[in-house]
Amino acid sequence: MKFFILLAVLFSSQLSFALTPEEAVAKALDGPLKGYQFNKRLAAPTLSEHVLLFSRDKFKDNRVVVWTENPGDRFAAVSTSPMAFRVLDVDGKELETISTNTFSLIIKLDRQPRILVPERENDYLMIAAAAERVKSPITVKGPKTLDLKCDFINPLDQDIFFTVEEPATKVVLKPGGQYTVKKEINVGRPWLPFIVPVEGNGIVQQVVVQVENPLKLGIWPEFSKSITLRLDNPAGSPFRGEAEITLVAPDGQEFEPFNFDIAMTAGEKEKTIRVPLNFDGILPYPAKIAIKQRSRLEMGKVFTLTESLPTQFSPLAAFVSDDPVSQPKGYEGRSQGKSYWQFTAGRPAEGIPNETTGTGILVYSFQQGGIGIKIRPEEGNGQNIIGKPAAYGVWVFSDKSLNFVTCGIRDATGRVFQPDPVLLDWSGWRYLRFEWPSAMQPPLVWDSVVEILYEEAAGSANGAIYINNPALVYEFDQVEQVEQTEVQASVDEPLIIDRRGDAPIAVPVVPPTTN
């Protein structure tokens, strides 16, 4: 954690600028936390919420520091003996008193650290302080079975009942007695670090696990009668396994999955596979995809190497015009400075990824640097965005101009969210995915579905790019959320995935291009 480095920094004078939470905690070490040492991180809803235990006097005297990095109302639960707590700021000023009659204290988190001071010795916090601190983060090479353990010690002068939920265990610990909680987890090759809780007596430590050879699984907007998978394997580690595609209905029903063999050889860092379906059009339900591999050492054990959230695409209006020089119907453009531009329907000689959506060509000529040209849907043609998408995907045919391309969404507060621009340093088609931050507040409207930015020092003032198959990407943490986003189509017959052939063939999604 970032504040470890700051623990040695004691603030002896008032600073003229706002302290970060980590700096504020470091300052408190010379105030209400003086004499206390960091003990361990306790459980919190996410890694952006912080519940930290500080101890002194052989674990008898404990204080809890809490804060969040997230906006809005955020809460955490701390396992504690029933009693009252004084709530202090980092300067030691008392803010309020809170209490609990149960063995769990619900705390509202703030963006600035708050210090919880129990009214007397707190048995549960003493047990938490005496417990072994589990190393975190843990880095492994997947797939691997990881054995975690945590030693709990009874620091009290009396017997305690020690309980573990999984597997259900209840033992009596004598004073000074020890009980080891063990947990076995199967680690695949997930792209992002994940949290594993290690729990005993309601006291939870969160262990962050990350792999050194992750796999990134992407789903690209579907084409006619197919869905496209993209695997990124930056470490180049080989594997041979099975891909599983499952459609998830709004009521939570999962259709029978479609499975096929998949493999990557040593040194192979990316793979694109188009999977044939017997459905022509937009997938009516979100699709989730998992890559699985059987263990070589343990019969019957299967590792999930990586998997996606249920994902669905909402395509934008097709680029269609009455003649080759007219602007596509339902789209408008604007420039931020001196420039010439023209946006029409068209296609490069190399062909296009998706024939059904048409292609728009943006021809530009900048007369000054540091400006951009934006294209977006007109009102009534998809300018308003349904729900809260996770990302936006679009195929871009680059002119290798060394300009930048991006997009933008305006939220209910009027703020425009713009992903990091992508440098146009290649020739031909490439699929780009732009992520949207969770801070966006609906309702949302398009600011630009494509924006080209000209930097006079490096980029070319004149050029043209094509865009094809733009689509918003919706990802659902829970199936129930599918009903809240009206992007699915309706079908009279249940969707059946085509099972003809042993497995789909790995083929390029678009014709090869020369960089």
Side-chain angles (χ1 to χ4, degrees), residues 462-483:
N462 306 298
I465 61 171
Y466 296 84
I467 60 174
N468 175 253
N469 202 30
L472 287 166
V473 184
Y474 292 83
E475 294 177 344
F476 309 98
D477 293 300
Q478 296 178 343
V479 174
E480 289 76 10
Q481 294 179 0
V482 176
E483 297 179 301

Side-chain angles (χ1 to χ4, degrees), residues 144-182:
K144 180 182 179 67
T145 299
L146 187 61
D147 294 314
L148 298 177
K149 74 175 187 68
C150 180
D151 292 331
F152 285 85
I153 300 170
N154 178 9
L156 309 180
D157 296 328
Q158 59 188 17
D159 294 354
I160 62 171
F161 283 104
F162 189 84
T163 60
V164 179
E165 291 187 6
E166 295 181 6
T169 306
K170 190 170 185 179
V171 297
V172 176
L173 282 185
K174 299 289 185 182
Q178 176 178 306
Y179 183 84
T180 301
V181 174
K182 297 180 179 179

Side-chain angles (χ1 to χ4, degrees), residues 431-501:
Y431 181 71
L432 303 181
R433 173 174 163 132
F434 298 97
E435 305 292 332
W436 300 120
S438 59
M440 295 190 307
Q441 299 182 31
L444 309 173
V445 297
W446 279 111
D447 181 72
S448 61
V449 297
V450 63
E451 178 178 2
I452 187 165
L453 304 171
Y454 172 54
E455 295 294 340
E456 195 169 11
S460 173
N462 306 298
I465 61 171
Y466 296 84
I467 60 174
N468 175 253
N469 202 30
L472 287 166
V473 184
Y474 292 83
E475 294 177 344
F476 309 98
D477 293 300
Q478 296 178 343
V479 174
E480 289 76 10
Q481 294 179 0
V482 176
E483 297 179 301
Q484 301 172 13
T485 307
E486 301 171 2
V487 295
Q488 59 265 28
S490 60
V491 289
D492 296 327
E493 299 284 339
L495 184 66
I496 302 174
I497 298 181
D498 195 343
R499 296 176 178 278
R500 290 172 296 178

Side-chain angles (χ1 to χ4, degrees), residues 302-320:
V302 177
F303 291 96
T304 298
L305 299 183
T306 188
E307 58 187 337
S308 72
L309 292 171
T311 301
Q312 192 166 30
F313 300 97
S314 178
L316 277 63
F319 300 116
V320 179

Side-chain angles (χ1 to χ4, degrees), residues 364 366 398-405 421-426 452-456 458-465:
Y364 59 87
F366 292 102
S398 168
D399 55 3
K400 206 175 183 179
S401 63
L402 300 183
N403 293 314
F404 291 87
V405 65
V422 175
L423 179 65
L424 294 169
D425 61 354
W426 75 94
I452 187 165
L453 304 171
Y454 172 54
E455 295 294 340
E456 195 169 11
S460 173
N462 306 298
I465 61 171

Side-chain angles (χ1 to χ4, degrees), residues 316-329:
L316 277 63
F319 300 116
V320 179
S321 62
D322 295 327
D323 56 73
V325 296
S326 296
Q327 192 161 295
K329 296 177 181 178

